[in-house]
Amino acid sequence: MFTLRQLESLTAIVDEGSFTAAADTLGVTQPALSHQIRSLERAIGIQVLERLPRSVRLTTAGRAFLPHARAALAAVDRGSRAARQAVELEAAELGVATVYSISLGVLPPVLRAWRQQHGSTQVRLFEHRHADNLRNAMLAGQADLAIGPVPVDWPGQVVPLGDEEFVIVLPFDDPDVGPDDTTVDMALLAHRNWVHFAPDNGLAALLDEVCARAGFQPRVAVRAEQTAAAPILAAAGLGPTLIPLNIIPLNFDGRLLRPDPPVRRTMSVYTRHGDEPVVGAFISTLVRTVDLIPNHLRAALRF
């Protein structure tokens, strides 16, 4: 049977890229580190690392084994923290993983409310471009809980939070909409060049899907790497974009319209370990304070 020290040695070598750097990080000698890896390989009965003249790389078996090694280490870390939390909640640390739109537009007031109640609890935030990346990171044990689109076949607790509304962003003087319009038919924008998103951003696939339902494929004017940049570029006249309403800031100078038909995405908080005290406390705060439709835009768009 392999040990946690062996798993730590493997992940350190992969993260640092060499035995030398990993030994420095772990504070051990290279012979001792090599011994840990040989013992690990004997325990599982297969080679996990290929030693090259100037570097090291994972074998096929090593690549398959690594996510499980990381998950095991994360589980042990969660266990030790849960034990401490059982004694004193305020001494806890909480890992929260989410998608960019939630970290930009939804989490700040939630974290403010959490801070007021549990000021000594440290929160570590992990942000992901795509809901699939978020789910995979949670399965690997990256964080204690995730906030994002409802995951498929999640093995643990899932708490729905409501629907995230999407809006079309245009300049105020855009010729395709009237001055009193609050909605826009997506098909009316088929001829436009769009402010799109980087391919690995989950909003890129969503925009393509929404446009396909309206009968067209969006032509790309520019692809935004940062989600928050898309509405700014659209308001500047580079092209329309489709963006979660909750990331629109106060005093935004662009035109916001609800797409017809509406575009919504159900959001949730999910975890494998909802019985941990700090996780349960954070979920309670989140459910109590979360607002997926900002108050400063609710009336203007007739939500």
Side-chain angles (χ1 to χ4, degrees), residues 38-289:
R38 287 195 298 271
S39 298
L40 172 63
E41 291 176 330
R42 285 196 299 269
I44 63 178
I46 197 165
Q47 184 179 356
V48 295
L49 288 175
E50 181 180 359
R51 286 76 166 172
L52 302 175
R54 296 182 179 274
S55 64
V56 64
R57 68 184 178 190
L58 289 165
T59 64
T60 301
R63 288 194 296 271
F65 182 75
L66 181 63
H68 300 283
R70 292 193 189 281
L73 292 171
V76 171
D77 180 64
R78 284 196 305 271
S80 63
R81 286 189 285 117
R84 294 193 298 271
Q85 293 163 19
V87 177
E88 185 179 5
L89 176 62
E90 295 303 323
E93 179 183 270
L94 181 71
V96 177
T98 189
V99 291
Y100 281 136
S101 64
I102 293 298
S103 65
L104 287 169
V106 174
L107 268 185
V110 173
L111 293 176
R112 182 172 60 247
W114 173 257
R115 189 74 175 170
Q116 290 170 350
Q117 299 169 41
H118 305 283
S120 63
T121 302
Q122 296 183 11
V123 175
R124 185 176 181 186
L125 187 62
F126 302 91
E127 298 174 280
H128 296 274
R129 291 174 178 267
H130 199 288
D132 290 344
N133 297 340
L134 174 64
R135 182 182 185 277
N136 292 338
M138 281 297 294
L139 286 173
Q142 181 187 67
D144 298 292
L145 58 90
I147 306 169
V150 177
V152 178
D153 298 328
W154 182 251
Q157 179 185 21
V158 178
V159 180
L161 297 174
D163 287 338
E164 185 179 46
E165 294 276 352
F166 283 75
V167 291
I168 297 292
V169 182
L170 293 166
F172 261 108
D173 58 353
D174 194 272
D176 285 326
V177 293
D180 298 323
D181 290 343
T182 58
T183 64
V184 60
D185 186 339
M186 290 290 295
L188 293 177
L189 302 174
H191 67 286
R192 303 288 293 271
N193 294 325
W194 286 71
V195 175
H196 216 301
F197 301 92
D200 61 347
N201 189 319
L203 295 181
L206 178 64
L207 175 55
D208 287 339
E209 178 185 337
V210 170
C211 292
R213 290 201 298 263
F216 68 97
Q217 180 178 350
R219 298 197 304 267
V220 178
V222 61
R223 287 190 182 272
E225 288 286 338
Q226 299 182 30
T227 302
I232 298 172
L233 296 173
L238 275 75
T241 197
L242 179 73
I243 202 77
L245 178 62
N246 52 52
I247 75 164
I248 302 298
L250 284 166
N251 304 315
F252 181 66
D253 60 0
R255 183 81 181 275
L256 305 178
L257 300 105
R258 299 175 69 182
D260 183 18
V263 178
R264 300 184 178 95
R265 183 168 64 169
T266 301
M267 307 303 286
S268 66
V269 54
Y270 57 96
T271 178
R272 291 185 300 176
H273 306 281
D275 55 339
E276 294 182 5
V278 69
V279 173
F282 187 87
I283 291 176
S284 296
T285 299
L286 175 66
V287 171
R288 186 174 64 253
T289 60

